[in-house]
Every structure is written in structure tokens, then in C-alpha cells.
Amino acid sequence: MPRSMTGFAKIEKEFPEGRIMSEARSLNSRYLEMNIRLPRADYASEQKLRDLVKRHVKRGKVDVTIKWEKTADEMTIPRVNENVVRQYAAMVRDLKDNYGLKGDLTIESIFTLKDVFTYEENNSLSEEILIETCSNLLVALNEERAREGEYIRNDLFERLGTITANASEIEAGWPGVITSHEDKLRARIAEITHSVAVDETRVLQEIAIYMERLDISEEIMRLKGHLDNFRNTLSSLDPMGRKLDFVIQEMVRETNTIGSKSNDLYINERVIRIKVEIEKMREQVQNVE
């Protein structure tokens, strides 16, 4: 089943400590590209999240953003800077010992001194919450990509049906085209030679050589094989975008050969129809993972 490379998912969840907000966007890309934004720099968790993305997405540009909105009482946490307090206490002792100054360092005076307290923002999320959030987000993203992929799959199957029908018409009409070409050649030979006796064996040889150059039976057979390959690939569970793109290139090759060999209006009309459908399929396949 094809999956689109484009999609969007958003999940928000409440916790006692606050609210987590996460978004994932995916766009077309030849390879897998990732951009992960977290509430704080945590390289260990980020690498695990990257590994998680690789398990869910095989191709495309993926942007994952996770934000953490804390409750009011969790916004800042004061901490005593013990090194600074010790330095202030040592300075007081030195002033008293060296200069005979009097006085004590009190709790009240501590609060007036600079850098005694630091305020740490509680930006951290547990790795368990991060991984669970990212996993749920990627599942939702893939569900959206699968829905879009279903539309693409139905469109491609419809176009495959149109191409198959035109290829079958070419295959059914080709023998008549061959006979028509042979009749025209015989008439032309008779016109040129008039009543002069002509070696029938030589005529048949020339006709056979000419018809071999125009024979498209092998191209039709290969085109139908590519159509079956494309159809079977669409029904598989593996990533298929690159393979479908390759099969389309082969379909284009065979169709172009059929068109170049044939100078028959009936066949060329159907070749044009096939080319139109293949080009539309190529555009759709560019968005398949």
C-alpha cells in the first residue's frame, strides 16, 4: 500500500506538571531528512528519537517539534548557589580578621547579595515521555500519509486501466495494420513494375524485412509486463516510490518505441493517450514513499 510523503499530525496532552505539544510535518524528498526540535538540548534523547523516526518513515523530509508548557508553580525553581555563599562568608571572616571590622553575615543580608540564588527553569522532559509522545505522533503522521496514499493508489489504478485498455487496442489492431501495410507495398510494387514479371519470393522477402522494422509485438509485450509489475508493486507493503518511478521510465521507453515504429494513425492516437496517462502517473509517483 503506497504512502504519501506529505502529511501533518499534531498531538497535545496534559500532565500534572504542564502540557506537552507536538507536531510532525513531512514533505517530498529524495532521501530521508530529519529535523527534531526539543524543549532543551538533550543529545542522548534526540538520537533515540531519530532512530524512532527511521523506523516509521523511510523517505521524505520530516520535521518534529516538541514543546513543554509548564504550570505556573513549575516555571522557575530557586537554588542556593553554595559556592557564592561560601565565598561571601570567607570574605566576611577576612575583613574581620584583617581590618578589625565588626558584624555578622545574616540571613537577611544574604538575600541582598548578588548571585546567591539561581533560578533554574524546569524545561526537562523525561525520556519516557519524549519517546512515547514522538511514537504516537509518528503513528498519527503515518495514518495521515496512508490516507493520502490511498487516494494516490486509486488514481494510479484507474490510469493503469486506461493504459492497459489502449495497449490492448494496439495489440488487437496491429495485425490489421500489418496487412494494410503489406497491401500498400504490393500495390506500390505493382505500380512501379507494371506488367513486368516479379519474383514473388523476393517480394515476400522485402515485405518481411520492411515489416520487421515496423514490428511492435515485443514492445507491446514488454509494456504489458511493466503494467503488471507496476500493479503488483502497488499492492505490496514495502516502500515503493523509487521502484514505481523506475517502472514508469521503462513504460515510457516502450511507448516511445511503439510510437516511433508505427506510422499508423489508429496506433499513434492510442500511443498519445498512453503517454498522457503515464505523465500523470509520474507526477503522482513523485509523492510516494
Side-chain angles (χ1 to χ4, degrees), residues 131-145:
I131 292 177
E132 178 185 356
T133 299
C134 189
S135 179
N136 293 337
L137 186 66
L138 292 170
V139 168
L141 177 66
N142 276 345
E143 289 174 353
E144 181 65 25
R145 295 168 68 222

Side-chain angles (χ1 to χ4, degrees), residues 51-142:
D51 293 339
L52 186 62
V53 171
K54 290 179 182 178
R55 291 198 293 271
H56 285 80
V57 181
K58 303 304 178 185
R59 194 159 71 107
K61 182 180 180 181
V62 183
D63 291 322
V64 175
T65 302
I66 299 178
K67 297 180 180 179
W68 178 242
E69 189 176 88
K70 300 170 288 296
T71 57
D73 55 353
E74 289 284 335
M75 293 297 289
T76 56
I77 302 174
R79 294 284 186 269
V80 176
N81 194 332
E82 297 183 3
N83 289 331
V84 172
V85 173
R86 280 194 291 267
Q87 291 175 17
Y88 279 127
M91 291 171 62
V92 169
R93 288 194 299 269
D94 289 342
L95 290 171
K96 292 170 71 174
D97 293 342
N98 297 329
Y99 300 99
L101 298 177
K102 295 182 180 181
D104 295 315
L105 190 63
T106 64
I107 292 295
E108 289 79 4
S109 60
I110 282 290
F111 275 90
T112 65
L113 298 175
K114 185 179 179 181
D115 296 331
V116 170
F117 297 100
T118 60
Y119 294 86
E120 299 178 1
E121 291 193 3
N122 182 20
N123 286 330
S124 62
L125 283 169
S126 71
E127 190 170 86
E128 181 180 357
I129 291 178
L130 275 175
I131 292 177
E132 178 185 356
T133 299
C134 189
S135 179
N136 293 337
L137 186 66
L138 292 170
V139 168
L141 177 66
N142 276 345

Side-chain angles (χ1 to χ4, degrees), residues 191-235:
E191 181 183 345
I192 294 173
T193 58
H194 300 290
S195 59
V196 178
V198 178
D199 185 350
E200 180 66 18
T201 302
R202 180 63 184 273
V203 171
L204 291 176
Q205 288 177 347
E206 293 297 328
I207 290 175
I209 292 172
Y210 181 74
M211 291 306 170
E212 186 177 359
R213 292 201 302 266
L214 300 181
D215 187 12
I216 58 173
S217 57
E218 290 187 10
E219 286 78 7
I220 294 173
M221 179 185 66
R222 287 194 292 266
L223 176 59
K224 292 174 70 175
H226 295 321
L227 291 171
D228 289 339
N229 190 4
F230 196 99
R231 190 175 290 106
N232 293 336
T233 302
L234 274 178
S235 300

